[in-house]
Amino acid sequence: MSYSNFKDPVGLLKRMLLSGNKTAYSILFREFFTKLVIPVDLLLRNSEKRKLKNSKDSSLPIILVLGGSRSGTTLLYQTLERYLPVSYISNFIASFVNSPISAYKLFRRLIPKSVKGYQSYFGSVQGFGGPNDAFFLWNRWLGEDRNHAPEEISEESKMEMRTFFNTWLKTTKKPFLNKNNRNSLCAPMFDKIFPNIFFVEIYRDPVFVAQSIILSRRTVQGSDKIAWGLLSKDSENNIDPLAYIDDICRQVFEVNQIIALNRAKIDSKKYFRVSYEDFCENPGEIIKLVGIQALDRTIDDTTLAGLKFSKASNGQRLTDEEFNRIKNCLKDLQNKNGLA
């Protein structure tokens, strides 16, 4: 977690401490651990450089989970990590910002498995073995802004990106899996950079996405009016007390539009799409599909038996006035863009 991305980091720290949420406490402990291992990370930096310098091409696939903020990407990421034979940036490895490959090679036998539960705290999961968004890594090439991404990067950055992932794949000897919502904004670029890449998009009813972003603003930023999530902007002071809801609806709509445009640019054989609702009802289907199409592996049905997730979050959690404002605003946006 980079506190520079939050307008009120002290308030966020207080809210996390008072939340009673074990995942929130786990995140805070990881922040302390990251500071603690800085000397080790720096010592491993030269080893990392040597590994990258000796990089060779790998044919192993890369799988990226796509979707807008609060659309179910974290749950999908956790599930695919648990049932597919893949490597990923764990919370432990994410503490070694300068030397993730060297840290993996040195400590891989000590890294615990991800926890059995599927709890998360606004995109972050519990435990050192849990899958991490790896912002520290993607920021090397895409910049520090968590909510916006360039459509193109320099040829040098593309080469560095290929070098890193080829080295990671050669070191782990497993396909790579990652979820980072920002990558949804530039998927076609990744498609051109990596010859063996696959995308798994999860989408959710935009009404409930907007509702969830409102609740996230209140918890993470401490205010309805402070931006949070992909393509978000701070809401200006307005005599209309619910004007911020319109801003969030436009944010959700724009993200969905960009993802749809990007999806059309990518070979459908490399792109899987599932609704949040269908995934919760039958997660095994997308697990098996990705296993066969991306990894050429058949996932044992017996391991997936009974796997199912609650859709309880797809219910009204705001006042009638707030919830109706979301529905009406999204309907207006669809009508204006000929999508009704």
Side-chain angles (χ1 to χ4, degrees), residues 161-184:
M161 191 183 293
R162 280 192 291 266
T163 297
F164 176 87
F165 285 106
N166 279 328
T167 308
W168 175 274
L169 292 168
K170 285 288 186 181
T171 302
T172 64
K173 298 179 175 60
K174 288 184 178 182
F176 176 75
L177 172 72
N178 180 253
K179 180 272 302 188
N180 188 300
N181 294 96
R182 182 177 57 181
N183 289 344
S184 304

mmCIF file of all heavy atoms in Angstrom, residues 161-184:
data_model
loop_
_atom_site.group_PDB
_atom_site.id
_atom_site.type_symbol
_atom_site.label_atom_id
_atom_site.label_comp_id
_atom_site.label_asym_id
_atom_site.label_seq_id
_atom_site.Cartn_x
_atom_site.Cartn_y
_atom_site.Cartn_z
ATOM 1 N N MET A 161 10.177 -4.674 -19.557
ATOM 2 C CA MET A 161 9.044 -5.465 -19.094
ATOM 3 C C MET A 161 9.180 -6.913 -19.568
ATOM 4 O O MET A 161 8.997 -7.852 -18.782
ATOM 5 C CB MET A 161 7.732 -4.850 -19.614
ATOM 6 C CG MET A 161 6.471 -5.425 -18.986
ATOM 7 S SD MET A 161 4.950 -4.724 -19.689
ATOM 8 C CE MET A 161 5.049 -3.031 -19.125
ATOM 9 N N ARG A 162 9.500 -7.104 -20.836
ATOM 10 C CA ARG A 162 9.682 -8.453 -21.366
ATOM 11 C C ARG A 162 10.829 -9.171 -20.643
ATOM 12 O O ARG A 162 10.728 -10.358 -20.306
ATOM 13 C CB ARG A 162 9.964 -8.408 -22.865
ATOM 14 C CG ARG A 162 8.734 -8.225 -23.732
ATOM 15 C CD ARG A 162 9.058 -8.472 -25.195
ATOM 16 N NE ARG A 162 9.916 -7.433 -25.731
ATOM 17 C CZ ARG A 162 9.474 -6.349 -26.368
ATOM 18 N NH1 ARG A 162 8.181 -6.171 -26.538
ATOM 19 N NH2 ARG A 162 10.314 -5.452 -26.834
ATOM 20 N N THR A 163 11.897 -8.434 -20.390
ATOM 21 C CA THR A 163 13.049 -9.015 -19.700
ATOM 22 C C THR A 163 12.676 -9.485 -18.305
ATOM 23 O O THR A 163 13.037 -10.595 -17.897
ATOM 24 C CB THR A 163 14.197 -7.992 -19.611
ATOM 25 O OG1 THR A 163 14.639 -7.656 -20.921
ATOM 26 C CG2 THR A 163 15.371 -8.544 -18.812
ATOM 27 N N PHE A 164 11.937 -8.640 -17.592
ATOM 28 C CA PHE A 164 11.561 -9.025 -16.228
ATOM 29 C C PHE A 164 10.713 -10.296 -16.234
ATOM 30 O O PHE A 164 11.002 -11.246 -15.496
ATOM 31 C CB PHE A 164 10.795 -7.904 -15.523
ATOM 32 C CG PHE A 164 10.330 -8.332 -14.153
ATOM 33 C CD1 PHE A 164 11.156 -8.186 -13.052
ATOM 34 C CD2 PHE A 164 9.088 -8.931 -13.969
ATOM 35 C CE1 PHE A 164 10.758 -8.618 -11.787
ATOM 36 C CE2 PHE A 164 8.681 -9.371 -12.716
ATOM 37 C CZ PHE A 164 9.518 -9.214 -11.624
ATOM 38 N N PHE A 165 9.667 -10.320 -17.049
ATOM 39 C CA PHE A 165 8.754 -11.458 -16.993
ATOM 40 C C PHE A 165 9.371 -12.733 -17.580
ATOM 41 O O PHE A 165 9.077 -13.836 -17.109
ATOM 42 C CB PHE A 165 7.423 -11.110 -17.654
ATOM 43 C CG PHE A 165 6.583 -10.207 -16.793
ATOM 44 C CD1 PHE A 165 6.423 -8.867 -17.103
ATOM 45 C CD2 PHE A 165 5.977 -10.700 -15.650
ATOM 46 C CE1 PHE A 165 5.678 -8.038 -16.287
ATOM 47 C CE2 PHE A 165 5.231 -9.878 -14.830
ATOM 48 C CZ PHE A 165 5.079 -8.539 -15.145
ATOM 49 N N ASN A 166 10.223 -12.590 -18.575
ATOM 50 C CA ASN A 166 10.937 -13.776 -19.060
ATOM 51 C C ASN A 166 11.804 -14.367 -17.946
ATOM 52 O O ASN A 166 11.864 -15.579 -17.764
ATOM 53 C CB ASN A 166 11.808 -13.420 -20.259
ATOM 54 C CG ASN A 166 11.029 -13.367 -21.557
ATOM 55 O OD1 ASN A 166 10.068 -14.104 -21.741
ATOM 56 N ND2 ASN A 166 11.448 -12.504 -22.468
ATOM 57 N N THR A 167 12.462 -13.496 -17.187
ATOM 58 C CA THR A 167 13.313 -13.949 -16.087
ATOM 59 C C THR A 167 12.478 -14.556 -14.975
ATOM 60 O O THR A 167 12.847 -15.588 -14.393
ATOM 61 C CB THR A 167 14.154 -12.780 -15.546
ATOM 62 O OG1 THR A 167 14.839 -12.140 -16.617
ATOM 63 C CG2 THR A 167 15.164 -13.262 -14.520
ATOM 64 N N TRP A 168 11.356 -13.927 -14.662
ATOM 65 C CA TRP A 168 10.465 -14.470 -13.633
ATOM 66 C C TRP A 168 9.985 -15.869 -14.035
ATOM 67 O O TRP A 168 10.005 -16.802 -13.235
ATOM 68 C CB TRP A 168 9.280 -13.539 -13.420
ATOM 69 C CG TRP A 168 8.252 -14.096 -12.462
ATOM 70 C CD1 TRP A 168 7.209 -14.932 -12.764
ATOM 71 C CD2 TRP A 168 8.217 -13.929 -11.047
ATOM 72 N NE1 TRP A 168 6.507 -15.274 -11.630
ATOM 73 C CE2 TRP A 168 7.106 -14.671 -10.556
ATOM 74 C CE3 TRP A 168 8.999 -13.211 -10.141
ATOM 75 C CZ2 TRP A 168 6.767 -14.713 -9.205
ATOM 76 C CZ3 TRP A 168 8.660 -13.251 -8.786
ATOM 77 C CH2 TRP A 168 7.558 -13.992 -8.329
ATOM 78 N N LEU A 169 9.541 -16.014 -15.273
ATOM 79 C CA LEU A 169 9.025 -17.302 -15.745
ATOM 80 C C LEU A 169 10.104 -18.379 -15.744
ATOM 81 O O LEU A 169 9.848 -19.530 -15.378
ATOM 82 C CB LEU A 169 8.440 -17.133 -17.153
ATOM 83 C CG LEU A 169 7.172 -16.275 -17.246
ATOM 84 C CD1 LEU A 169 6.864 -15.935 -18.701
ATOM 85 C CD2 LEU A 169 5.981 -16.968 -16.613
ATOM 86 N N LYS A 170 11.316 -18.014 -16.134
ATOM 87 C CA LYS A 170 12.421 -18.975 -16.127
ATOM 88 C C LYS A 170 12.785 -19.378 -14.696
ATOM 89 O O LYS A 170 13.160 -20.530 -14.437
ATOM 90 C CB LYS A 170 13.649 -18.361 -16.814
ATOM 91 C CG LYS A 170 13.556 -18.299 -18.324
ATOM 92 C CD LYS A 170 13.688 -19.699 -18.942
ATOM 93 C CE LYS A 170 13.744 -19.632 -20.455
ATOM 94 N NZ LYS A 170 13.854 -20.980 -21.072
ATOM 95 N N THR A 171 12.662 -18.438 -13.771
ATOM 96 C CA THR A 171 13.031 -18.709 -12.385
ATOM 97 C C THR A 171 11.984 -19.572 -11.685
ATOM 98 O O THR A 171 12.318 -20.537 -10.991
ATOM 99 C CB THR A 171 13.211 -17.387 -11.607
ATOM 100 O OG1 THR A 171 14.211 -16.593 -12.245
ATOM 101 C CG2 THR A 171 13.609 -17.648 -10.167
ATOM 102 N N THR A 172 10.710 -19.232 -11.874
ATOM 103 C CA THR A 172 9.633 -19.960 -11.178
ATOM 104 C C THR A 172 9.245 -21.245 -11.889
ATOM 105 O O THR A 172 8.685 -22.156 -11.277
ATOM 106 C CB THR A 172 8.388 -19.080 -11.053
ATOM 107 O OG1 THR A 172 7.879 -18.776 -12.376
ATOM 108 C CG2 THR A 172 8.701 -17.780 -10.313
ATOM 109 N N LYS A 173 9.517 -21.286 -13.210
ATOM 110 C CA LYS A 173 9.154 -22.444 -14.042
ATOM 111 C C LYS A 173 7.640 -22.695 -14.038
ATOM 112 O O LYS A 173 7.181 -23.826 -14.231
ATOM 113 C CB LYS A 173 9.894 -23.706 -13.594
ATOM 114 C CG LYS A 173 11.409 -23.610 -13.714
ATOM 115 C CD LYS A 173 12.087 -24.880 -13.244
ATOM 116 C CE LYS A 173 13.596 -24.831 -13.472
ATOM 117 N NZ LYS A 173 14.241 -23.710 -12.757
ATOM 118 N N LYS A 174 6.885 -21.633 -13.831
ATOM 119 C CA LYS A 174 5.431 -21.716 -13.849
ATOM 120 C C LYS A 174 4.849 -20.514 -14.583
ATOM 121 O O LYS A 174 5.463 -19.440 -14.606
ATOM 122 C CB LYS A 174 4.866 -21.728 -12.424
ATOM 123 C CG LYS A 174 5.101 -23.005 -11.648
ATOM 124 C CD LYS A 174 4.411 -22.912 -10.291
ATOM 125 C CE LYS A 174 4.571 -24.191 -9.494
ATOM 126 N NZ LYS A 174 3.860 -24.097 -8.183
ATOM 127 N N PRO A 175 3.665 -20.654 -15.196
ATOM 128 C CA PRO A 175 2.985 -19.501 -15.784
ATOM 129 C C PRO A 175 2.765 -18.419 -14.718
ATOM 130 O O PRO A 175 2.714 -18.719 -13.513
ATOM 131 C CB PRO A 175 1.648 -20.073 -16.265
ATOM 132 C CG PRO A 175 1.913 -21.532 -16.431
ATOM 133 C CD PRO A 175 2.910 -21.909 -15.380
ATOM 134 N N PHE A 176 2.630 -17.180 -15.160
ATOM 135 C CA PHE A 176 2.482 -16.052 -14.238
ATOM 136 C C PHE A 176 1.042 -15.551 -14.235
ATOM 137 O O PHE A 176 0.425 -15.381 -15.289
ATOM 138 C CB PHE A 176 3.414 -14.911 -14.649
ATOM 139 C CG PHE A 176 3.272 -13.670 -13.808
ATOM 140 C CD1 PHE A 176 3.802 -13.631 -12.531
ATOM 141 C CD2 PHE A 176 2.606 -12.549 -14.290
ATOM 142 C CE1 PHE A 176 3.683 -12.488 -11.746
ATOM 143 C CE2 PHE A 176 2.479 -11.405 -13.523
ATOM 144 C CZ PHE A 176 3.021 -11.377 -12.243
ATOM 145 N N LEU A 177 0.517 -15.301 -13.042
ATOM 146 C CA LEU A 177 -0.841 -14.781 -12.860
ATOM 147 C C LEU A 177 -0.778 -13.499 -12.056
ATOM 148 O O LEU A 177 -0.048 -13.407 -11.064
ATOM 149 C CB LEU A 177 -1.702 -15.809 -12.121
ATOM 150 C CG LEU A 177 -3.102 -15.352 -11.672
ATOM 151 C CD1 LEU A 177 -4.025 -15.202 -12.876
ATOM 152 C CD2 LEU A 177 -3.687 -16.346 -10.664
ATOM 153 N N ASN A 178 -1.559 -12.492 -12.475
ATOM 154 C CA ASN A 178 -1.621 -11.247 -11.704
ATOM 155 C C ASN A 178 -2.946 -10.538 -11.936
ATOM 156 O O ASN A 178 -3.550 -10.640 -13.011
ATOM 157 C CB ASN A 178 -0.473 -10.314 -12.084
ATOM 158 C CG ASN A 178 -0.500 -9.001 -11.311
ATOM 159 O OD1 ASN A 178 -0.827 -7.958 -11.880
ATOM 160 N ND2 ASN A 178 -0.163 -9.045 -10.038
ATOM 161 N N LYS A 179 -3.370 -9.835 -10.902
ATOM 162 C CA LYS A 179 -4.517 -8.933 -11.016
ATOM 163 C C LYS A 179 -4.067 -7.529 -10.633
ATOM 164 O O LYS A 179 -3.521 -7.308 -9.559
ATOM 165 C CB LYS A 179 -5.647 -9.373 -10.086
ATOM 166 C CG LYS A 179 -6.899 -8.479 -10.137
ATOM 167 C CD LYS A 179 -6.912 -7.274 -9.200
ATOM 168 C CE LYS A 179 -6.766 -7.582 -7.751
ATOM 169 N NZ LYS A 179 -6.986 -6.359 -6.893
ATOM 170 N N ASN A 180 -4.269 -6.593 -11.533
ATOM 171 C CA ASN A 180 -4.060 -5.189 -11.229
ATOM 172 C C ASN A 180 -5.063 -4.423 -12.077
ATOM 173 O O ASN A 180 -4.948 -4.416 -13.304
ATOM 174 C CB ASN A 180 -2.624 -4.765 -11.545
ATOM 175 C CG ASN A 180 -2.310 -3.372 -11.060
ATOM 176 O OD1 ASN A 180 -2.953 -2.413 -11.470
ATOM 177 N ND2 ASN A 180 -1.330 -3.250 -10.177
ATOM 178 N N ASN A 181 -6.051 -3.818 -11.439
ATOM 179 C CA ASN A 181 -7.143 -3.194 -12.185
ATOM 180 C C ASN A 181 -6.659 -2.187 -13.216
ATOM 181 O O ASN A 181 -7.254 -2.051 -14.294
ATOM 182 C CB ASN A 181 -8.122 -2.518 -11.225
ATOM 183 C CG ASN A 181 -8.844 -3.502 -10.338
ATOM 184 O OD1 ASN A 181 -8.440 -3.753 -9.212
ATOM 185 N ND2 ASN A 181 -9.914 -4.104 -10.849
ATOM 186 N N ARG A 182 -5.577 -1.487 -12.913
ATOM 187 C CA ARG A 182 -5.072 -0.481 -13.851
ATOM 188 C C ARG A 182 -4.711 -1.103 -15.195
ATOM 189 O O ARG A 182 -4.835 -0.450 -16.246
ATOM 190 C CB ARG A 182 -3.869 0.239 -13.244
ATOM 191 C CG ARG A 182 -3.292 1.335 -14.130
ATOM 192 C CD ARG A 182 -2.156 2.066 -13.451
ATOM 193 N NE ARG A 182 -1.089 1.154 -13.059
ATOM 194 C CZ ARG A 182 0.013 1.555 -12.421
ATOM 195 N NH1 ARG A 182 0.178 2.833 -12.114
ATOM 196 N NH2 ARG A 182 0.951 0.679 -12.102
ATOM 197 N N ASN A 183 -4.271 -2.355 -15.183
ATOM 198 C CA ASN A 183 -3.898 -3.024 -16.440
ATOM 199 C C ASN A 183 -5.078 -3.164 -17.391
ATOM 200 O O ASN A 183 -4.891 -3.373 -18.594
ATOM 201 C CB ASN A 183 -3.294 -4.390 -16.149
ATOM 202 C CG ASN A 183 -1.917 -4.291 -15.516
ATOM 203 O OD1 ASN A 183 -1.283 -3.239 -15.553
ATOM 204 N ND2 ASN A 183 -1.453 -5.387 -14.935
ATOM 205 N N SER A 184 -6.292 -3.053 -16.864
ATOM 206 C CA SER A 184 -7.484 -3.122 -17.716
ATOM 207 C C SER A 184 -7.528 -1.972 -18.709
ATOM 208 O O SER A 184 -8.189 -2.069 -19.748
ATOM 209 C CB SER A 184 -8.748 -3.099 -16.844
ATOM 210 O OG SER A 184 -8.731 -4.136 -15.890
#
